[in-house]
Amino acid sequence: MIENLTKHVVISKNVKFCNSIFSKAIGLMFSRKSDKSSVFTFKKEKIVPLHMLFVFYSIDVLFLNQDKKIVEMKENFRPFSFYTPKSRAMYVIEMPENSIRRFKISLNDKLEF
């Protein structure tokens, strides 16, 4: 479960954790659209470039620092595109499209999972 502690709302009940190199490399490639969120964890904060190769639907992405505060957001990340964030992150959360708007997620919100 992913909870927005700042806004006191659960933003995802169905979560997949991607901790291994393999699960991070595969991500959502060749998957079907679902209500599941994916949490990618890293050992330290760093710039985490993303791609949507072989992902056939749009998603929203949150970048969190080591304190699990949102430092950057990407709405409507489209299939077969690339994105390089400006901020370092220790956690990256991929969520269904329109999640940011639906749950009124903002920069500096603190999450828990």
Side-chain angles (χ1 to χ4, degrees), residues 30-47:
F30 304 106
S31 68
R32 294 177 189 256
K33 192 173 187 177
S34 77
D35 66 344
K36 186 180 287 187
S37 295
S38 298
V39 177
F40 296 80
T41 59
F42 301 92
K43 292 180 180 174
K44 62 180 183 175
E45 290 183 356
K46 63 181 189 171
I47 299 293

Side-chain angles (χ1 to χ4, degrees), residues 23-79:
S23 65
K24 290 176 191 175
I26 296 298
L28 295 172
M29 290 193 302
F30 304 106
S31 68
R32 294 177 189 256
K33 192 173 187 177
S34 77
D35 66 344
K36 186 180 287 187
S37 295
S38 298
V39 177
F40 296 80
T41 59
F42 301 92
K43 292 180 180 174
K44 62 180 183 175
E45 290 183 356
K46 63 181 189 171
I47 299 293
V48 183
L50 301 176
H51 71 82
M52 290 285 284
L53 299 175
F54 304 106
V55 180
F56 304 102
Y57 51 90
S58 296
I59 61 171
D60 286 354
V61 184
L62 304 175
F63 298 87
L64 284 66
N65 66 13
Q66 64 185 3
D67 299 323
K68 297 184 181 174
K69 282 192 174 183
I70 300 170
V71 294
E72 192 165 337
M73 301 185 295
K74 173 69 175 157
E75 292 184 79
N76 195 27
F77 190 22
R78 297 191 171 275

